[in-house]
Amino acid sequence: MPHRTLYIAAYDVSDNARLRDALKVLKGYASGRQKSVFECFLTDAERHALVSEIQELLDPIEDRFFLLRLEPRGKVRVRGKGIKPIDPPWFYVG
């Protein structure tokens, strides 16, 4: 079994088309999310693939993407009730 490390991925994308594409990519790697912040348990290969896919999508001047590795020696504590994320049938930009 490959070793997985916990990462927090977050983005701020200014264009709606790129925002939808980034959301689709991150959903493929994430185990949980809260708005534009994602919890990802990744292998090294998955981390490289995620960063590569995001770099192809986002504009380096207008958009931001952060992938933060959480301290592997620390104990992960989760609060709240875990539920499967569901996107609404509509998308509001305001």
Side-chain angles (χ1 to χ4, degrees), residues 10 70 84:
L70 296 184
K84 184 176 180 177

Side-chain angles (χ1 to χ4, degrees), residues 51-70:
V51 170
S52 176
E53 287 181 54
I54 288 294
Q55 280 180 329
E56 291 176 15
L57 293 175
L58 302 185
D59 182 314
I61 304 298
E62 295 181 1
D63 304 328
R64 298 291 178 261
F65 175 75
F66 298 96
L67 185 64
L68 306 170
R69 181 179 61 91
L70 296 184

Side-chain angles (χ1 to χ4, degrees), residues 10-55:
Y11 63 76
D12 182 22
V13 181
S14 60
D15 178 73
N16 287 337
R18 290 193 309 265
L19 176 66
R20 285 188 300 273
D21 292 341
L23 176 62
K24 185 176 180 179
V25 168
L26 278 160
K27 278 182 160 182
Y29 292 95
S31 59
R33 73 180 177 126
Q34 178 73 31
K35 302 205 184 241
S36 61
V37 179
F38 298 78
E39 175 185 70
C40 305
F41 287 91
L42 305 172
T43 64
D44 285 339
E46 289 169 336
R47 180 177 57 85
H48 288 294
L50 170 59
V51 170
S52 176
E53 287 181 54
I54 288 294
Q55 280 180 329

